[in-house]
Amino acid sequence: MEKCISCGAPTERTYTMYECRIGDIEKVETRTEYIPTNFKPQKRVHYKVITSFDETTEHVFGYCTNCLYKSRKTGLRLLMILFPALLVPAVILFSISGGFDAGKSSILFWVSLVLGFAATISFFISLHLVFAGNKKDPFFAKKTELNDLYMENHNCRILTPEEYEHLKKNDFRETKTTFSDIIS
């Protein structure tokens, strides 16, 4: 049974991230082109860089459902508690001040407008948290723990299961193209 990386509570749901150690790096020159400039043509050399990955280490971690859906719960709490707590006093103060006709110079009118504006803002923030923050990505949370400094020190790359499957399909070799300008 794993512990949640966010709150430390025991959880039965586990996720796996893969650490692949970077092996040989080959640079294969593919082509050279000359870019016209005002004075001399500039030489640009395009390279194909092939990287192989040697060994794979699995990082198994847990993430509980409370932490996965924390933003949705926060949005619902804002919608149920904060929105009525601001809207009800705004409506009461607005009705006491006499509405738009008699209360334009009244302090109660302005306080009710400010509370109504705050209630509207809290309503839209809570809706955003409920619908846009539907679920946290546990792999993103783990990648912040295994950051760039960790990858540089261990000479590796941290991969999600989808990235790992893609790399596995390509026989643990990755091909990228790059270029360098040579000024003569």
Side-chain angles (χ1 to χ4, degrees):
M1 181 175 284
E2 294 290 324
K3 290 190 175 189
C4 177
I5 61 171
S6 181
C7 66
T11 179
E12 293 182 9
R13 189 158 187 190
T14 59
Y15 301 91
T16 305
M17 298 238 349
Y18 299 93
E19 175 183 334
C20 293
R21 193 173 66 81
I22 299 173
D24 298 331
I25 298 175
E26 304 172 22
K27 279 190 180 179
V28 180
E29 183 180 335
T30 56
R31 65 186 172 91
T32 303
E33 70 176 334
Y34 292 94
I35 301 169
T37 59
N38 292 338
F39 303 106
K40 282 181 153 180
Q42 183 177 359
K43 183 178 179 183
R44 179 173 283 175
V45 181
H46 293 265
Y47 293 101
K48 183 192 280 186
V49 179
I50 301 171
T51 306
S52 65
F53 295 93
D54 293 340
E55 64 184 57
T56 303
T57 308
E58 291 184 357
H59 291 279
V60 180
F61 63 97
Y63 214 76
C64 66
T65 54
N66 282 340
C67 293
L68 279 178
Y69 295 104
K70 188 179 245 178
S71 61
R72 178 180 277 180
K73 288 180 180 180
T74 304
L76 288 173
R77 285 185 188 130
L78 276 175
L79 190 60
M80 297 302 208
I81 297 169
L82 188 63
F83 176 65
L86 292 173
L87 187 64
V88 170
V91 170
I92 292 172
L93 288 175
F94 185 75
S95 65
I96 290 173
S97 71
F100 286 110
D101 297 332
K104 291 201 180 209
S105 63
S106 173
I107 191 75
L108 293 177
F109 172 76
W110 292 107
V111 170
S112 68
L113 281 181
V114 168
L115 283 175
F117 180 72
T120 306
I121 295 295
S122 71
F123 175 74
F124 286 116
I125 288 173
S126 64
L127 283 182
H128 173 73
L129 287 173
V130 168
F131 294 114
N134 192 4
K135 184 178 177 183
K136 278 188 182 178
D137 186 14
F139 299 111
F140 181 72
K142 185 67 175 177
K143 271 193 173 182
T144 58
E145 187 178 301
L146 304 170
N147 56 12
D148 293 335
L149 183 62
Y150 177 86
M151 289 189 280
E152 186 178 316
N153 288 339
H154 289 90
N155 193 24
C156 66
R157 268 190 54 202
I158 305 297
L159 306 169
T160 63
E162 293 84 22
E163 294 169 338
Y164 180 73
E165 288 300 319
H166 178 71
L167 197 63
K168 192 176 181 181
K169 235 186 262 185
N170 294 331
D171 297 326
F172 293 101
R173 293 172 63 102
E174 185 177 56
T175 304
K176 288 186 179 179
T177 57
T178 185
F179 65 88
S180 64
D181 293 331
I182 300 173
I183 300 173
S184 53

